[in-house]
Amino acid sequence: MKDEGKTMQITVERTGGFTGIPVTKIIDSKTLPQQEAARLHKMMTEADFFKLPTTISSSPQPDRFQYRITVEQEAKQHSVTVDETVVPANLKPLLNWLMAQPAQPATH
Amino acid sequence: MISSQNETARTPSRPQGTHICPICCIIPPHMSDHILKHGDEKMQTWMMETIRRSEQFQGRREVIGNFALALSPGEKRRTVYDARKRETLPGKLVRSEGGRKSRDVAVNEAYDGAGATYDLYHDVFERNSIDDQGLRMDSTIHYGVQYDNAFWNGNQMVYGDGDGRLFNRFTIAIDVIGHELTHGVVQYEAGLIYQGESGALNESFADVFGSLVKQRSLNQTVDQADWLIGAGLLAPGIQGVALRSLKEPGTAYDDPMLGKDPQPAHYSSRYRGSQDSGGVHINSGIPNHAFYLAAMEVGGFAWEKVGKVWYITLRDVLRSRASFSKAADATISVAGQLYGQSSHEQTAIRKAWQTVGVIE
Ligand SMILES: [Zn+2]
């Protein structure tokens, strides 16, 4: 419950895939409705995000996605790079939720 | 020409797990059905493999026994499954070979696209399906929710519906289907490792044969072809014509949401970063453009001459860690064998690789 008071900044970059076009999502929990923010905190806890290894990879397969999720929460910061084929089951709900957020315009 | 395989060049790489399990062929159908319906993904994959292997085994036995069989190797065998927005493969069977047309356009696109790809490989290159042993071509449509992707998972094709804002359904372009199936062919042949230059070659072969599937299905000469990958895939309002252009790499799209097509047409502008397995979908523009230039120079139907050179190179010469320059040398050498040293075809191919800066 304590963590729910702390705001989080999350960046997700999806690269690879058939299109090869990277997609970035930036989420600030401050801007979320309270219910969504609570949901996000719950998914973060379920994923045990800050304890996930920095790289979760499989041998590269054609046209699959790779995700890089970075979370900043007060002094804490953690990045996880994960291949689509080996996304841990407890991280999947968080990843799906993040990818359903509106995309940022391309930066290049 | 095509039937004389040059086996000395390399040992073909096969996908993992090709050991034969002795109990494979005696699992009763109700049990395999149960595993397919209720098992976890690993179990389902194993079961699918098992069923495939036993079918192939039976196929061989029946050929030996000289029985006429409806589904024997050497014929086109397609199945289409519907994942119904889940991510469990293969999903529900919705159409198999010879089956009735569906009301779902994605089913028919996956079926027809796999057919056109089979026909190119079979009729032009004398190849019997993905593994050259009549492997059944399985496709799953409606994979995931708003899934912006298509892929070959080592055993089958998988297509997402797209999110509708950036991308339409991935079966919409026949070259996407040819592309995915060609990843299967690459896996059974050169086995190009999906990283760096060998990965970009893997991507490029998939684009080249994907485009040839489209060109042949429309009976187009090199001048009539659009040389695009993914025409029709970009959602309404997105600024672009496709995902990639073999004719003019870097010009397929330029959009506020997608950014600009990053493909280079010249080796000196290659991407050197680590994203996308070392830019496999970016640097593929270089060999893609070499193919285009050679095909334009030779003229006619691209699959007949330069396409054949690329196919023999993939099948007989390239190794899994091949670089661009190795691929260039290999195509020049194969063109010499097929059409003669200093032939018009060989000269066109050499010039094309020089133009994109891969060789001097
Ligand atoms: Zn690909």
Side-chain angles (χ1 to χ4, degrees):
Chain A
M1 286 308 273
K2 255 185 282 170
D3 271 3
E4 293 200 14
K6 301 173 183 171
T7 58
M8 280 185 291
Q9 285 75 46
I10 307 180
T11 307
V12 195
E13 292 166 272
R14 188 187 71 195
T15 54
F18 174 81
T19 70
I21 300 172
V23 170
T24 303
K25 316 252 177 173
I26 298 172
I27 295 110
D28 189 333
S29 69
K30 270 205 306 273
T31 65
L32 294 172
Q34 202 179 354
Q35 217 177 346
E36 280 294 281
R39 199 171 149 208
L40 173 60
H41 279 282
K42 189 163 170 281
M43 289 186 292
M44 282 287 296
T45 308
E46 275 165 9
D48 207 358
F49 185 82
F50 286 98
K51 295 215 176 106
L52 287 174
T54 53
T55 307
I56 307 170
S57 61
S58 64
S59 58
Q61 284 182 34
D63 298 331
R64 301 307 298 261
F65 291 129
Q66 190 182 63
Y67 300 92
R68 184 180 161 86
I69 310 169
T70 304
V71 180
E72 289 173 73
Q73 189 175 36
E74 298 192 339
K76 278 193 289 189
Q77 200 216 40
H78 188 55
S79 267
V80 175
T81 302
V82 57
D83 288 342
E84 184 186 18
T85 50
V86 288
V87 175
N90 58 337
L91 178 62
K92 189 87 183 158
L94 176 66
L95 185 61
N96 285 347
W97 182 87
L98 293 169
M99 290 314 296
Q101 303 302 307
Q104 300 294 118
T107 48
H108 50 280
Chain B
M1 287 293 201
I2 281 199
S3 50
S4 66
Q5 278 218 24
N6 174 11
E7 279 301 328
T8 55
R10 59 174 172 75
T11 316
S13 56
R14 299 285 159 191
Q16 299 163 338
T18 47
H19 66 277
I20 301 295
C21 149
I23 60 159
C24 285
C25 310
I26 54 164
I27 295 170
H30 67 268
M31 193 193 279
S32 52
D33 282 350
H34 182 84
I35 292 169
L36 287 176
K37 280 199 195 105
H38 305 289
D40 62 22
E41 196 178 345
K42 212 169 159 189
M43 199 67 196
Q44 287 173 340
T45 307
W46 174 80
M47 199 64 240
M48 280 306 290
E49 254 323 288
T50 300
I51 291 167
R52 275 198 194 94
R53 275 195 210 117
S54 62
E55 279 185 356
Q56 285 177 322
F57 173 74
Q58 285 164 6
R60 267 202 296 281
R61 201 176 44 185
E62 268 130 17
V63 166
I64 293 161
N66 203 23
F67 292 110
L69 241 197
L71 295 177
S72 64
E75 285 179 24
K76 206 178 333 186
R77 295 187 300 156
R78 291 166 286 179
T79 50
V80 182
Y81 299 87
D82 186 344
R84 299 193 272 193
K85 297 183 193 279
R86 299 176 66 94
E87 294 181 6
T88 309
L89 293 173
K92 181 184 184 286
L93 179 67
V94 286
R95 191 173 176 189
S96 45
E97 191 60 47
R100 245 196 1 224
K101 241 184 147 151
S102 169
R103 269 173 297 182
D104 181 345
V105 65
V107 173
N108 302 325
E109 285 168 345
Y111 183 88
D112 294 340
T117 307
Y118 181 95
D119 291 344
L120 171 78
Y121 279 108
H122 182 267
D123 302 350
V124 180
F125 306 133
E126 296 173 35
R127 182 182 188 84
N128 182 10
S129 190
I130 299 162
D131 61 347
D132 202 12
Q133 302 206 32
L135 184 71
R136 200 176 71 200
M137 300 157 93
D138 291 341
S139 312
T140 293
I141 50 155
H142 303 312
Y143 178 84
V145 177
Q146 301 194 338
Y147 188 65
D148 279 334
N149 204 11
F151 62 89
W152 162 259
N153 80 341
N155 296 306
Q156 65 158 102
M157 284 80 62
V158 181
Y159 303 101
D161 292 328
D163 59 83
R165 295 184 306 270
L166 303 176
F167 301 105
N168 296 318
R169 63 180 187 279
F170 278 70
T171 48
I172 203 166
I174 194 171
D175 43 87
V176 175
I177 295 170
H179 175 110
E180 293 312 330
L181 277 155
T182 300
H183 278 310
V185 174
V186 172
Q187 173 189 316
Y188 280 94
E189 296 299 345
L192 292 160
I193 293 168
Y194 207 68
Q195 176 71 44
E197 285 196 15
S198 58
L201 285 171
N202 193 329
E203 269 307 307
S204 179
F205 278 104
D207 277 353
V208 163
F209 290 106
S211 181
L212 292 183
V213 167
K214 179 174 179 177
Q215 293 176 30
R216 186 164 182 268
S217 72
L218 297 170
N219 202 35
Q220 290 175 330
T221 62
V222 295
D223 310 289
Q224 294 163 332
D226 64 14
W227 295 98
L228 296 171
I229 297 298
L233 188 56
L234 300 181
I238 297 289
Q239 292 161 37
V241 289
L243 285 177
R244 297 184 276 276
S245 166
L246 284 76
K247 183 178 182 176
E248 294 173 278
T251 66
Y253 60 89
D254 188 354
D255 179 85
M257 288 309 289
L258 298 183
K260 187 184 177 306
D261 177 359
Q263 284 210 318
H266 195 274
Y267 194 61
S268 60
S269 314
R270 69 191 177 278
Y271 172 78
R272 295 159 209 248
S274 63
Q275 271 193 3
D276 186 29
S277 303
V280 295
H281 295 92
I282 302 174
N283 292 335
S284 54
I286 298 161
N288 276 0
H289 194 53
F291 181 87
Y292 165 82
L293 290 171
M296 290 305 289
E297 180 69 23
V298 171
F301 294 121
W303 59 86
E304 285 184 345
K305 289 189 165 172
V306 184
K308 186 181 281 189
V309 170
W310 252 241
Y311 176 69
I312 301 291
T313 300
L314 176 68
R315 192 191 66 183
D316 296 350
V317 188
L318 289 186
R319 292 164 186 267
S320 62
R321 295 178 193 281
S323 62
F324 284 3
S325 68
K326 280 265 193 268
D329 292 345
T331 55
I332 293 163
S333 148
V334 168
Q337 287 165 29
L338 289 178
Y339 303 109
Q341 299 301 326
S342 305
S343 57
H344 180 48
E345 292 82 359
Q346 191 192 37
T347 307
I349 290 170
R350 180 182 286 117
K351 211 174 97 195
W353 286 111
Q354 285 167 341
T355 305
V356 300
V358 168
I359 57 170
E360 301 208 330

